[in-house]
Amino acid sequence: MKKFLGILSVAVGASAYIYMVIMTSRGTGEGLSLTTFLLWSMLAWITGFTTMKQGANPAVPFIYAVGATATTIVLLYKGRVGWTYFDSLIAVLVVLCAVLWLTRGAKWALTLSVIAAVIAAIPFIIVTWKAPSSSPIIANSGFFFANILSF
């Protein structure tokens, strides 16, 4: 059952990001930040590699890394470039994850990367709260469902 749920979580996570990339490429990318997705992709890659190093299943983090990277590329193409003070904070957390991985090991890097990903999601949650009609609720629901299945 655990293996089936793991496979299902990967399928749901991949589907959510495929939907996100398609909808972003068809639209303007309004409400989405290239730098935020770039930093999310870095955190997802760190989480994937540290999860793998810990001997756990890195499939969902790697799917998120590929999806966030693809979304970043689409946003770059759309010209949705910008940088905020919040992006600076997340960039510092990404660097700290890399430093922790090199100095303290994968467990510390994994812990901080998950905390950083939650912090990085705050602006997205605020945008969704303020203007739910412009939020990619289908993709967000898919991410939520994939995360539940992967536990």
Side-chain angles (χ1 to χ4, degrees), residues 30-151:
E30 190 67 34
L32 302 178
S33 165
L34 176 130
T35 51
T36 300
F37 271 92
L38 176 64
L39 295 168
W40 271 345
S41 67
M42 290 174 168
L43 289 170
W45 286 111
I46 290 169
T47 302
F49 284 116
T50 54
T51 301
M52 187 170 61
K53 188 169 173 109
Q54 292 291 321
N57 184 356
V60 171
F62 281 143
I63 286 296
Y64 286 0
V66 169
T69 302
T71 304
T72 301
I73 292 167
V74 170
L75 290 170
L76 180 63
Y77 175 77
K78 294 284 185 180
R80 299 292 304 162
V81 180
W83 191 273
T84 66
Y85 74 93
F86 200 77
D87 291 326
S88 298
L89 170 66
I90 303 306
V92 168
L93 291 174
V94 169
V95 170
L96 285 175
C97 286
V99 169
L100 278 177
W101 189 350
L102 295 172
T103 61
R104 303 286 244 151
K107 182 179 179 181
W108 285 95
L110 179 60
T111 302
L112 183 58
S113 70
V114 170
I115 292 168
V118 169
I119 293 169
I122 291 171
F124 206 61
I125 292 167
I126 291 169
V127 167
T128 301
W129 184 264
K130 288 181 178 178
S133 62
S134 66
S135 176
I137 195 72
I138 293 172
N140 290 343
S141 299
F143 301 140
F144 179 73
F145 189 52
N147 290 340
I148 297 292
L149 291 171
S150 68
F151 283 106

Side-chain angles (χ1 to χ4, degrees), residues 13-32:
S15 298
Y17 256 118
I18 289 168
Y19 178 82
M20 173 75 92
V21 168
I22 290 169
M23 296 312 293
T24 303
S25 64
R26 287 185 178 170
T28 62
E30 190 67 34
L32 302 178

